[in-house]
Amino acid sequence: MVIVGAGDCGVRAAVALRDLGHVGPITLAGAERHHPYERPPLSKTTLDNSADPLPKYIVTPERLATADIRLCTSVTAEAIDRTRKLLRLDDGSVLAYRKLLLATGARPRPLPMAVGLARCVTLRTFDDALALRAHLRPGRRLAVVGGGFIGLELAAMAREAGVDVTVIEALPRILQRGVPPAIAAAIHARHMAAGVVIRCGHAITSMVENETGLHITLADGDMLMADIAVIGIGALPNTALAEAAGLTIDNGIAVDDCLTTSDPDILAAGDCCSFPLALYGGRRVRLESWRNAQEQGALAAGTMMGQHDAHRAVPWFWSDQYELGLQIAGLADEAVDVVRRDLGPDAFLLFHLAADGRLLAASGLGPGNTVARDIRLAEMLIARRAHPPRDALADPGVKLKSLVVAESPAARHLEGVVT
Amino acid sequence: MADWVDACAAGDIDEEDVIRWDHAGRTFAIYRSPDDEYFATDGLCTHERIHLAEGLVMDDIIECPKHNGRFNYKTGLAKGAPVCINLQTYAVRVEAGRVLVQVG
């Protein structure tokens, strides 16, 4: 068993293969020099200059050793020979596989005008975060290009470090993709209160750097100066290896609901793959999230071991900014109706319903983890394709757990997350 | 050592639910099971020090509100990735409507 990519997805798959009883060799090949670490802290706690800058390991080196998982770091997979079932690495080694899992992840989408500029960086790896945190000093000027999760989490951390922060978003609002307007507005307001300048609806027309800084010109002619800019305008799936091997690509490496590619001995999972989501009419989606990486890593291991479990988890995302925690379960984009439940002065939930009343998604924002429990319960309702009563959803006095039990009295156990 | 400490009233915790209890610089989670029994564990998830009391209790499982790490709160047993370290449990007894925890 060979796994390309030693992020959350690949490592989870490797460990799961052993847990499922695989006795043969497992090789995990990663491009980075570090022992595999979790990526979510990189735009959060890793940037905190008062905290320990060590990466948070997904599993300890001892656990990998105990599980007899061979880890190769600082290697890139160069080519797959599908006929002979061989994987060639850039250090010259060749690995034979029975099943190959591509967990190659995604890379930051480049902003063409920023390419080659020393003051323009991205945030994807631990080394990126280390380089960036050195710039987070009071009075430094940071431009965040792109008002998505990573950019905004970084903006919050930088502002707390006393950095002057400007967020530039080309679309009319921040978090346009996948986050409902009411939550985006609350997060926008929180950033404003912290002193972040947010410029929405502004395309960048030029970026020029010199010894005084980075000169950014916006479409309306406004100019701003920054010491450093972080480009956070989305990610692209790493598909080159699969593409060169002739595998089907469709907004990522195309896989079926068991994560098998167009080659039955090659699977793909996590950020790099697109898969049919049965819960939403079988539409093909690609998810860039920590939990999806985990779940698909585990699911891929099952498929590699000959199981035929289909992916059925509900998409789930979270973000932490300042004291606020945001969580979203499900996909809201096809919803036609939104029901709001207030949980207090600074916390609320939104339920996103289809025309027939089916709960498609739920999103929530509040201090710390205040919305977590309700989002988790909503996730169960979403997984069960429930049609909860609108007035019950709106009423904070009605416990969501009672709706879950009413929907499916027999199933009182936790489900929906692959473990 | 191993003192029994009065933590809360039995009615302070809903059935199949959990509350946070801070005591002597430490934080605990106290659970009431669907069968109306009481249990106590360390209050923070062993994965990323998240308060478990904001998580969801279903049957005998507590699920971390952040990353869905799960533990059996009766035994402290970690139920799989991303959690791999078990949760410390503490003895609990209910007397005269009060929940007492043996903090060791």
Side-chain angles (χ1 to χ4, degrees):
Chain A
M1 301 287 188
V2 175
I3 300 167
V4 181
D8 271 299
C9 184
V11 173
R12 181 73 187 271
V15 172
L17 279 172
R18 209 51 102 197
D19 288 347
L20 289 171
H22 178 65
V23 291
I26 300 171
T27 304
L28 185 59
E32 292 182 58
R33 64 189 174 94
H34 301 284
H35 182 81
Y37 60 85
E38 294 189 10
R39 245 175 251 291
L42 299 184
S43 51
K44 307 179 183 80
T45 48
T46 309
L47 296 174
D48 180 354
N49 274 308
S50 62
D52 193 339
L54 288 175
K56 179 168 174 46
Y57 292 148
I58 299 166
V59 291
T60 61
E62 295 74 25
R63 176 118 192 268
L64 274 193
T66 305
D68 194 20
I69 293 164
R70 179 180 163 224
L71 172 69
C72 308
T73 53
S74 304
V75 290
T76 305
E78 280 192 329
I80 306 167
D81 179 340
R82 288 169 52 193
T83 312
R84 295 159 65 199
K85 297 177 66 168
L86 300 172
L87 177 76
R88 193 177 77 228
L89 304 177
D90 66 348
D91 64 356
S93 58
V94 175
L95 302 172
Y97 64 83
R98 187 157 68 79
K99 296 284 181 187
L100 173 67
L101 171 62
L102 303 177
T104 48
R107 64 189 184 282
R109 180 190 297 275
L111 179 66
M113 72 184 80
V115 172
L117 298 181
R119 291 180 186 271
C120 291
V121 300
T122 55
L123 178 53
R124 180 79 191 173
T125 66
F126 183 71
D127 288 342
D128 290 343
L130 276 190
L132 187 56
R133 78 202 292 273
H135 290 280
L136 303 185
R137 302 274 184 259
R140 297 299 294 267
R141 298 162 300 179
L142 169 72
V144 175
V145 180
F149 283 150
I150 290 176
L152 292 170
E153 288 173 5
L154 157 66
M157 292 304 297
R159 196 65 204 110
E160 289 179 346
V163 177
D164 291 336
V165 182
T166 302
V167 176
I168 304 162
E169 168 57 58
L171 294 171
R173 66 167 173 94
I174 59 167
L175 298 170
Q176 179 92 35
R177 201 182 62 152
V179 177
I183 288 181
I187 291 174
H188 188 122
R190 181 66 186 85
H191 278 279
M192 299 267 285
V196 174
V197 176
I198 300 183
R199 309 284 304 266
C200 287
H202 285 274
I204 296 173
T205 53
S206 83
M207 298 175 104
V208 177
E209 68 180 6
N210 59 25
E211 63 283 353
T212 63
L214 179 70
H215 303 249
I216 302 173
T217 308
L218 304 178
D220 64 359
D222 266 15
M223 280 194 58
L224 63 109
M225 284 276 287
D227 297 299
I228 190 151
V230 177
I231 312 300
I233 54 170
L236 299 173
N238 291 324
T239 58
L241 180 68
E243 206 167 349
L247 300 177
T248 304
I249 308 295
D250 180 1
N251 178 34
I253 305 167
V255 295
D256 65 14
D257 56 8
C258 295
L259 305 177
T260 302
T261 68
S262 49
D263 181 325
D265 294 318
I266 304 178
L267 294 87
D271 290 17
C272 70
C273 80
S274 70
F275 62 98
L277 199 50
L279 196 55
Y280 297 91
R283 62 192 268 212
R284 183 165 286 278
V285 298
R286 192 173 65 77
L287 300 177
E288 297 161 2
S289 80
W290 177 85
R291 195 158 109 187
N292 181 62
Q294 295 266 326
E295 288 165 349
Q296 292 198 333
L299 183 65
T303 303
M304 292 165 90
M305 293 294 286
Q307 300 175 359
H308 294 281
D309 294 335
H311 180 98
R312 57 182 178 85
V314 177
W316 181 87
F317 303 88
W318 98 90
S319 178
D320 295 328
Q321 296 169 37
Y322 310 100
E323 74 289 355
L324 293 177
L326 156 70
Q327 291 198 2
I328 300 176
L331 299 179
D333 56 341
E334 290 177 341
V336 297
D337 185 18
V338 179
V339 177
R340 178 175 172 130
R341 171 188 288 218
D342 285 302
L343 302 176
D346 51 4
F348 64 98
L349 302 171
L350 300 174
F351 299 97
H352 309 267
L353 304 172
D356 67 353
R358 184 184 143 197
L359 182 63
L360 294 176
S363 45
L365 181 72
N369 295 314
T370 44
V371 303
R373 191 190 305 211
D374 284 338
I375 294 293
R376 184 71 180 95
L377 289 161
E379 184 191 330
M380 294 182 196
L381 291 169
I382 294 165
R384 290 167 195 184
R385 296 176 160 85
H387 296 63
R390 213 177 176 285
D391 53 346
L393 290 176
D395 181 358
V398 176
K399 288 192 167 190
L400 289 182
K401 194 186 261 183
S402 70
L403 300 180
V404 174
V405 173
E407 189 69 30
S408 179
R412 292 189 56 82
H413 59 286
L414 283 162
E415 60 179 40
V417 182
V418 179
T419 56
Chain B
M1 58 178 286
D3 291 335
W4 287 93
V5 182
D6 184 325
C8 62
D12 289 347
I13 314 174
D14 289 345
E15 203 170 279
E16 200 179 38
D17 208 346
V18 56
I19 65 164
R20 173 176 164 179
W21 176 55
D22 292 339
H23 171 72
R26 296 161 67 187
T27 187
F28 301 85
I30 306 176
Y31 309 81
R32 182 172 169 187
S33 78
D35 309 323
D36 213 17
E37 292 181 289
Y38 290 77
F39 299 87
T41 69
D42 274 338
L44 299 177
C45 181
T46 58
H47 170 240
E48 255 190 16
R49 302 185 60 75
I50 303 291
H51 281 284
L52 289 170
E54 287 180 312
L56 180 64
V57 177
M58 288 291 243
D59 279 344
D60 50 5
I61 300 294
I62 174 71
E63 184 181 70
C64 174
K66 202 60 167 188
H67 306 114
N68 309 106
R70 293 178 196 161
F71 303 91
N72 181 319
Y73 59 79
K74 298 180 177 178
T75 62
L77 203 65
K79 303 294 281 183
V83 292
C84 42
I85 303 168
N86 293 340
L87 204 54
Q88 179 68 48
T89 58
Y90 301 90
V92 175
R93 67 173 196 246
V94 179
E95 275 181 12
R98 303 294 303 178
V99 178
L100 307 179
V101 179
Q102 190 175 34
V103 296

